[in-house]
Amino acid sequence: MDQQIEIIHDDITKLHVDAIVNAANSSLLGGGGVDGAIHRAAGPQLLEECRVLHGCETGEAKITKGYNLPAKFVIHTVGPIWHGGTHNEDDLLARCYRNSLQVAELQRVATIAFPSISTGVYGFPIERASRIALREMSEYLAHTTQVKKIIAVCFSQHDYQIYLSSAQESDGKR
Ligand code: APR
């Protein structure tokens, strides 16, 4: 795995990076999980800015300031809800990573942290999601000079172990 991709077990709201990615819903008006944690940490101005974005389609990404977060920006993306894998979920999840990275690049972001999108409330199987996430991160880094570091932030030890084994698996395939 490229040295520019880091896998950590942490709380994304604590990270001093240029941008953190939020696993939002299509309203962009907050929710539970990492969405709730990011809004709580950023403060009410984040919701005010989100209100004028008029939502976000699944697979798309929109950027706001980070306000009280240590991160400068929040990139909000909406992951697919898992329906068994027959509703284009893999491609929609891949687009969340690609579009978030494209938005980051346009904003001249060098360091960006992702939660494990769609693997909580939205029920996407974590093993499958981690392979998609790491593949998209790796492919993106191979074609950009702007984004220097991508961090995959796991909120539980269990998820952390899964990401590590997915990373070893893809290293083994090289
Ligand atoms: N830091 C990092 N990761 C976190 C944090 C945190 N502070 N809190 C939760 N997570 C992790 C979860 O453990 C999970 O692995 O984020 C991942 C995504 O889970 P959810 O937050 O439930 O997001 P998702 O599955 O994409 O569902 C999105 O949930 O919160 C609502 O408004 C949100 O409707 C949307 C839906």
Side-chain angles (χ1 to χ4, degrees):
M1 182 57 59
D2 297 325
Q3 72 287 352
Q4 301 149 311
I5 297 177
E6 204 179 316
I7 299 169
I8 66 172
H9 173 199
D10 208 334
D11 174 348
I12 201 167
T13 65
K14 311 278 187 233
L15 300 184
H16 292 257
V17 290
D18 292 340
I20 61 171
V21 175
N22 180 22
N25 60 59
S26 54
S27 74
L28 293 188
L29 299 179
V34 71
D35 194 6
I38 288 172
H39 275 273
R40 278 192 298 279
Q45 289 173 291
L46 177 60
L47 182 57
E48 273 170 44
E49 186 175 357
C50 284
R51 282 195 204 289
V52 301
L53 294 178
H54 302 302
C56 185
E57 296 293 313
T58 300
E60 301 300 317
K62 293 189 177 179
I63 193 165
T64 65
K65 296 187 198 74
Y67 298 103
N68 303 333
L69 285 160
K72 276 187 237 139
F73 301 106
V74 181
I75 295 174
H76 307 262
T77 192
V78 181
I81 297 172
W82 181 252
H83 292 295
T86 56
H87 292 67
N88 205 26
E89 293 99 320
D90 287 2
D91 182 52
L92 285 167
L93 184 63
R95 284 176 55 199
C96 286
Y97 287 92
R98 281 200 298 274
N99 287 330
S100 296
L101 286 160
Q102 278 165 11
V103 166
E105 184 157 10
L106 285 174
Q107 196 68 41
R108 307 187 65 71
V109 161
T111 56
I112 180 169
F114 283 89
S116 184
I117 300 166
S118 280
T119 63
V121 167
Y122 281 2
F124 203 114
I126 179 95
E127 294 81 358
R128 191 178 176 130
S130 64
R131 286 194 288 273
I132 293 168
L134 293 169
R135 182 198 70 211
E136 292 303 321
M137 291 173 186
S138 202
E139 283 178 8
Y140 198 86
L141 282 180
H143 302 98
T144 180
T145 53
Q146 172 61 47
V147 178
K148 304 287 182 232
K149 186 175 192 179
I150 304 176
I151 305 172
V153 186
C154 302
F155 200 47
S156 69
Q157 184 63 27
H158 169 263
D159 291 0
Y160 177 62
Q161 292 306 325
I162 287 173
Y163 266 76
L164 289 180
S165 46
S166 294
Q168 280 152 17
E169 190 185 286
S170 65
D171 283 353
K173 285 188 186 138
R174 292 205 166 193

